[in-house]
Amino acid sequence: MKIAVFSAQPYDQLFLDEVNRRGYASCDHELSYLKAQLSVDTAVLAQGFDAVCVFVNDQLDAPVLASLSRYGVRAVLLRCAGFNQLDVKAAARLKLFVARVPAYSPEAVAEHTIALIMTLNRHTHRAYNRVREGNFALDGLLGFTLHGKTVGIVGTGRIGMATARILKGFGCRVLGYDPVPAAGFEALGEAVDLDVLLADSDIVSLHCPLLDTTRHLIDARTLAKMKRGAMLVNTSRGALVDTAAVIAALKTRYLGALAIDVYEQESSLFFQDRSGDIIDDDVFQRLLSFPNVLVTGHQGFFTVEAMREIAEVTFHNLQCFVDGSPCANVVHGEP
Ligand code: NAD
């Protein structure tokens, strides 16, 4: 099989080549690594390939899928869990095989969520810079003790549960909201409705998928329901949060702090070195100007273990397609 790997970074090549070299199921596939993000303008690059392998910010809407199909592509391999960027109906209409990596390492994202909370709360990022410059003053570095605080988990799926497990270890009171409550969550915390979670939590952490119903789940109305001074954490998908509303709440000091690993307009920024560029996104730049905002560039998943799992499962999905065997990771329905 000839596979065009879009949005390819050196680390993608490292882990995918490692599995391919081993010869997954005795097959040796031909992988071409393309820096370009998949879009209606770049779909032409897939001409002559049997499959494309894509990541979170590659576009898979109806026009892109139609182009891929026209160019002879028969399989779309997502090397991620979320598939909010995919037009599922269009893919089915075009009879494209689409499979994802549903759970490469929930703990990786959960641990990054905790890293964000701890960094933002105890200001270790600022302390690091201060100490290197010989500044040992503590003013501005005051945090709170996490033990005993209430943390609300919105979406108690794989990552939400992993986050809840860690927080329980910290001695936090954990609240969870999920329209489909997870079995076993009651051992970690209390299942409540969203309004109660927002009102009671010192930290609200988002772990639900991006759907039409969850787009801007956090907006001016829901921010007003949160505790004054609470921290909001989003490691799920950027569009769960209305960034303009969050900026307004930060400016009035109602929202105490914000940590994000994802951003609604991230596709033109994240996963690239833009350090020499003028960034045109004024909303993003405003976010960076707050001392109580911490942003990472969608790295929650980025551990050796998760990258290995992504590569393994991607080749497993490809093999299912080649063999025509049942594949549990085929995408249908909502993300
Ligand atoms: P999952 O499917 O195991 O869990 C998602 C949970 O959200 C489910 O239990 C579902 O019932 C719940 N949910 C659906 N609608 C909801 C709503 N309106 N309110 C509250 N909960 C709702 O998924 P997961 O593996 O835990 O991943 C969660 C999200 O994390 C993914 O959708 C993806 O967007 C994101 N993610 C981010 C990274 C990263 O690197 N930052 C990596 C992987 C996944």
Side-chain angles (χ1 to χ4, degrees):
M1 294 282 286
K2 288 179 73 180
I3 302 141
V5 183
F6 280 86
S7 299
Q9 298 287 349
Y11 44 82
D12 293 310
Q13 181 160 1
L14 185 76
F15 288 95
L16 288 169
D17 278 354
E18 190 180 285
V19 178
N20 197 32
R21 252 195 318 273
R22 254 193 358 248
Y24 196 94
S26 317
C27 285
D28 191 7
H29 301 287
E30 197 181 312
L31 275 69
S32 296
Y33 293 95
L34 311 173
K35 270 202 151 184
Q37 253 178 37
L38 178 60
S39 69
V40 80
D41 299 322
T42 61
V44 66
L45 297 171
Q47 200 155 14
F49 287 92
D50 305 297
V52 294
C53 178
V54 299
F55 198 47
V56 287
N57 291 324
D58 290 305
Q59 286 167 32
L60 293 168
D61 54 17
V64 171
L65 294 174
S67 297
L68 292 178
S69 171
R70 213 168 37 248
Y71 294 133
V73 169
R74 290 171 297 133
V76 177
L77 306 164
L78 291 150
R79 46 183 200 280
C80 55
F83 54 94
N84 50 280
Q85 77 277 44
L86 170 75
D87 187 327
V88 181
K89 285 193 185 126
R93 237 182 359 256
L94 294 161
K95 299 196 169 40
L96 286 166
F97 172 91
V98 187
R100 64 181 180 131
V101 185
Y104 31 92
S105 176
E107 286 76 17
V109 185
E111 287 170 15
H112 189 70
T113 303
I114 303 301
L116 290 178
I117 293 172
M118 295 304 287
T119 305
L120 189 54
N121 173 32
R122 302 302 296 268
H123 311 282
T124 40
H125 55 316
R126 301 181 74 192
Y128 173 83
N129 287 324
R130 276 192 196 186
V131 169
R132 286 172 76 90
E133 289 182 5
N135 177 359
F136 305 99
L138 297 185
D139 58 299
L141 302 184
L142 190 65
F144 56 80
T145 304
L146 197 50
H147 182 94
K149 292 294 177 296
T150 301
V151 186
I153 306 282
V154 181
T156 54
R158 282 170 282 232
I159 297 171
M161 284 287 279
T163 307
R165 276 194 294 273
I166 302 172
L167 289 166
K168 188 160 189 265
F170 271 99
C172 294
R173 174 181 172 234
V174 181
L175 304 179
Y177 165 69
D178 196 312
V180 187
F185 179 74
E186 59 289 349
L188 303 171
E190 304 152 47
V192 294
D193 70 30
L194 185 60
D195 282 358
V196 172
L197 182 148
L198 295 173
D200 281 10
S201 298
D202 301 294
I203 300 170
V204 172
S205 192
L206 306 180
H207 300 287
C208 57
L210 177 61
L211 310 167
D212 287 343
T213 50
T214 58
R215 187 172 299 276
H216 290 188
L217 179 83
I218 300 297
D219 59 8
R221 199 180 53 87
T222 40
L223 280 162
K225 292 180 179 176
M226 284 174 65
K227 231 186 217 185
R228 176 180 286 279
M231 180 193 290
L232 175 66
V233 185
N234 185 10
T235 58
S236 196
R237 282 293 179 266
L240 292 176
V241 170
D242 176 350
T243 313
V246 161
I247 289 174
L250 286 163
K251 281 167 78 177
T252 60
R253 279 76 169 165
Y254 190 82
L255 183 64
L258 172 74
I260 53 173
D261 185 46
V262 286
Y263 168 62
E264 187 164 10
Q265 308 301 335
E266 71 179 48
S267 65
S268 61
L269 296 172
F270 287 8
F271 309 118
Q272 307 160 50
D273 180 359
R274 300 283 313 269
S275 54
D277 297 347
I278 290 167
I279 306 283
D280 290 329
D281 186 335
D282 292 351
V283 174
F284 187 73
Q285 293 303 94
R286 182 68 180 102
L287 272 184
L288 294 188
S289 73
F290 292 99
N292 51 347
V293 170
L294 179 63
V295 183
T296 51
H298 208 140
Q299 67 173 83
F301 70 99
F302 201 47
T303 65
V304 170
E305 292 77 3
M307 290 300 291
R308 278 205 184 117
E309 184 69 10
I310 288 171
E312 289 284 348
V313 176
T314 298
F315 276 95
H316 163 79
N317 293 344
L318 178 63
Q319 203 55 45
C320 291
F321 172 68
V322 171
D323 297 344
S325 55
C327 181
N329 303 327
V330 161
V331 171
H332 26 226
E334 284 194 321

